[in-house]
Amino acid sequence: GLIVATPTGSTAYSLSAGGPVVEPTVQALLIPPISPHTLTNRPVVLRPEAVVRIAVGERERDAVLTIDGQETMALAGRDAVVVLGHTLWAQH
């Protein structure tokens, strides 16, 4: 799993997943992996206007998108979540 967070969210789930703490006035997107199985999966910090596309594998069946720990959407194989700067889009 992945977390996509702003600096404001960096002290919540992102920090608990090993992500960095970023001062709230810094404009950035943070992407820490959740419980990575290898040491090559590390948190990434991107510019705020970066476009991030996260695709669900074709054979995956139980993928879920959760927004702010409250809104949940089931995702199917080949679905994608696109983060445009600080905007989130889900493609079915």
Side-chain angles (χ1 to χ4, degrees):
L2 292 172
I3 295 173
V4 179
T6 63
T8 301
S10 70
T11 57
Y13 292 114
S14 178
L15 178 63
S16 67
V21 174
V22 178
E23 179 182 300
T25 60
V26 173
Q27 293 191 6
L29 285 176
L30 313 171
I31 305 177
I34 300 171
S35 302
H37 296 286
T38 66
L39 295 176
T40 58
N41 294 330
R42 297 289 186 192
V44 177
V45 179
L46 302 172
R47 66 188 191 284
E49 57 276 350
V51 176
V52 178
R53 183 175 187 276
I54 303 164
V56 178
E58 186 174 337
R59 296 182 182 145
E60 295 300 321
R61 298 177 193 256
D62 295 326
V64 178
L65 168 67
T66 303
I67 302 170
D68 287 334
Q70 298 178 15
E71 298 180 41
T72 301
M73 177 187 297
L75 299 173
R78 293 197 230 169
D79 282 350
V81 175
V82 179
V83 180
L84 305 170
H86 297 305
T87 305
L88 178 71
W89 297 89
Q91 298 175 335
H92 288 283

